[in-house]
Amino acid sequence: MKRKIVSVLVCAAMAATMIAGCGGGSDDAAATTTEETATEETAADDAAAEDAATDDTAASGETLTIGFAQVGHESDWRTASTQSCQDVFSAENGYDLQFVDCDNDSAVQLEAVRGFIEQDVDYIIIDPIVSTGWDTVLTECQDAGIPVIVIDRTIDDSDKYAAWVGSDFKTEGLACGEWLKAYADAKGITDLNILVIEGTTGASATIGRTEGFNEIAEREGWNILDSQTGDFTQEGGQQVMESYCKSYEGQFNVVICQNDNEAFGAMDAMTAAGVSYGVDGDVIIVSFDAARTALQYCLDGDLNAVFECNPLAAPMVEEIIKGLEAGEEVETEVYVEESCFAHDDTVPSISVNGVDTPMTVLTQDIIDARAY
Ligand code: GYE
């Protein structure tokens, strides 16, 4: 049974709330392969069984149907994000989760949202593959009276959603730049010749990380030799790095990978090309996300630093949904908590947007305690 509520749209952006991410359940997938995700576990498969089994639920005694249009399964980060949503919006917790893996295809994602409208779900969660092209379909959601909650990446051309939970990608890019500046200074490296492997074109994560890093690069007068997309995948990172190794042989000493999986591919390509990287190598290499496998590489010295992007947004999304169910005003902008990690204490802390930010030196204990 479905119960529709009219969400209170709070238009003014409220102060960002820093909320610690809570651990998701299973984390093995993130540590092993990017290909394996729980995407087959679509709610469509389970819908009938769950409808029958979960009539009495947590808060209201009714099952809430949630449609989730997920980006895809391109990275360890994505696997952790999917797992977090599936753990929180489970049948046991009183939800019927309709999960669609959009396989990084914007047309499929729009179709998925329209499918949720047709199914008359109670809430729609969207992790937007790209940041534009949303106003029409969000208007359709609004007309249908279905509140939308955006997670992770932002929507930049419409405000027709109830709330957003995610990361400040520009700040992540700034942090990376500030760390690189301090690290190069400490090591006496004066000439920085940088190659960037960007994420998916048009994704707010790519746009923000690029903007933040470029701001520092311009300030410092660094030479960015090239910046190409690796689509947030290991394969993409490897292909871009293979071509960089040929085009810029002997000319680069920094590789910035906009996610962990691209870094794994880039490391393979450099190894194959005979280029040394990491704390003892010729090339400084960093990544964003900080899932467990990347942290292990960083602890081992293969990655110099990793800038966290926290994928565990689902508990905060649930808080928002509970608030909307109770007819309360909800936070419209919620930032997840994130840290910066390094192999060693060459740079103990950085100042980002005037905020003193520690660089956490990795230990095996930190990695073992990690939820993803
Ligand atoms: O960095 C990457 C994933 O949107 C923040 O998407 C997310 C990015 C993340 O594929 O690994």
Side-chain angles (χ1 to χ4, degrees):
M1 253 196 295
K2 304 205 168 97
R3 182 164 59 88
K4 198 124 284 156
I5 64 152
V6 181
S7 73
V8 187
L9 281 174
V10 185
C11 290
M14 299 172 80
T17 306
M18 305 295 286
I19 299 180
C22 312
S26 158
D27 30 321
D28 292 339
T32 51
T33 165
T34 59
E35 302 297 343
E36 292 290 326
T37 67
T39 51
E40 290 83 27
E41 262 184 55
T42 59
D45 295 340
D46 302 328
E50 287 177 13
D51 270 351
T54 60
D55 242 352
D56 65 335
T57 65
S60 62
E62 292 177 35
T63 299
L64 284 179
T65 303
I66 313 281
F68 177 25
Q70 173 64 296
V71 168
H73 51 275
E74 71 284 359
S75 65
D76 292 1
W77 190 100
R78 191 63 53 200
T79 304
S81 158
T82 294
Q83 187 66 55
S84 169
C85 275
Q86 288 176 336
D87 289 346
V88 169
F89 298 109
S90 64
E92 300 73 51
N93 291 342
Y95 298 100
D96 173 8
L97 179 64
Q98 303 286 314
F99 178 84
V100 177
D101 175 338
C102 302
D103 201 16
N104 217 24
D105 184 331
S106 294
V108 170
Q109 194 164 42
L110 291 175
E111 216 175 282
V113 173
R114 293 200 163 101
F116 295 148
I117 297 173
E118 243 168 66
Q119 287 173 66
D120 198 22
V121 301
D122 295 302
Y123 291 89
I124 296 175
I125 303 173
I126 302 172
D127 189 329
I129 297 168
V130 293
S131 61
T132 55
W134 286 100
D135 200 56
T136 304
V137 78
L138 289 187
T139 306
E140 291 165 28
C141 294
Q142 203 171 56
D143 291 347
I146 304 174
V148 171
I149 295 159
V150 179
I151 63 166
D152 170 33
R153 302 180 187 175
T154 54
I155 284 178
D156 297 335
D157 63 352
S158 177
D159 60 0
K160 297 189 179 86
Y161 52 87
W164 166 84
V165 180
S167 309
D168 184 335
F169 301 115
K170 184 174 176 191
T171 296
E172 292 174 359
L174 286 170
C176 175
E178 294 291 8
W179 172 84
L180 181 59
K181 155 83 180 133
Y183 188 80
D185 282 354
K187 296 281 180 192
I189 304 168
T190 45
D191 270 354
L192 292 184
N193 295 297
I194 302 168
L195 290 168
V196 179
I197 304 180
E198 294 182 22
T200 298
T201 305
S204 72
T206 302
I207 295 167
R209 288 170 188 166
T210 305
E211 220 177 275
F213 183 77
N214 284 357
E215 197 172 299
I216 309 298
E218 273 162 37
R219 189 189 75 195
E220 299 302 327
W222 292 337
N223 181 23
I224 298 185
L225 290 161
D226 212 335
S227 191
Q228 289 179 25
T229 179
D231 225 2
F232 283 136
T233 65
Q234 177 161 347
E235 200 190 8
Q238 180 163 351
Q239 280 170 4
V240 171
M241 197 66 229
E242 279 167 2
S243 112
Y244 281 168
C245 283
K246 287 186 193 126
S247 313
Y248 303 101
E249 192 185 344
Q251 297 171 46
F252 62 95
N253 57 358
V254 179
V255 176
I256 308 290
C257 303
Q258 287 188 351
N259 86 340
D260 291 342
N261 296 78
E262 290 179 338
F264 305 157
M267 291 191 290
D268 285 347
M270 283 194 277
T271 302
V275 176
S276 67
Y277 52 83
V279 293
D280 298 321
D282 294 331
V283 174
I284 298 167
I285 177 170
V286 303
S287 73
F288 294 86
D289 282 356
R292 189 185 286 142
T293 307
L295 291 185
Q296 193 68 51
Y297 277 120
C298 190
L299 178 69
D300 295 346
D302 295 321
L303 288 172
N304 297 72
V306 185
F307 300 87
E308 186 181 26
C309 182
N310 184 341
L312 307 179
M316 287 150 253
V317 175
E318 188 185 34
E319 282 309 303
I320 289 165
I321 289 177
K322 282 182 173 164
L324 293 172
E325 283 292 294
E328 293 163 3
E329 269 197 11
V330 296
E331 299 260 21
T332 57
E333 227 178 32
V334 179
Y335 287 86
V336 291
E337 190 179 78
E338 318 197 297
S339 308
C340 304
F341 299 97
H343 172 79
D344 52 50
D345 64 357
T346 305
V347 177
S349 68
I350 50 178
S351 172
V352 186
N353 291 327
V355 178
D356 194 44
T357 308
M359 291 296 308
T360 303
V361 177
L362 277 168
T363 62
Q364 193 62 51
D365 284 349
I366 291 175
I367 297 173
D368 292 345
R370 199 122 171 107
Y372 58 95

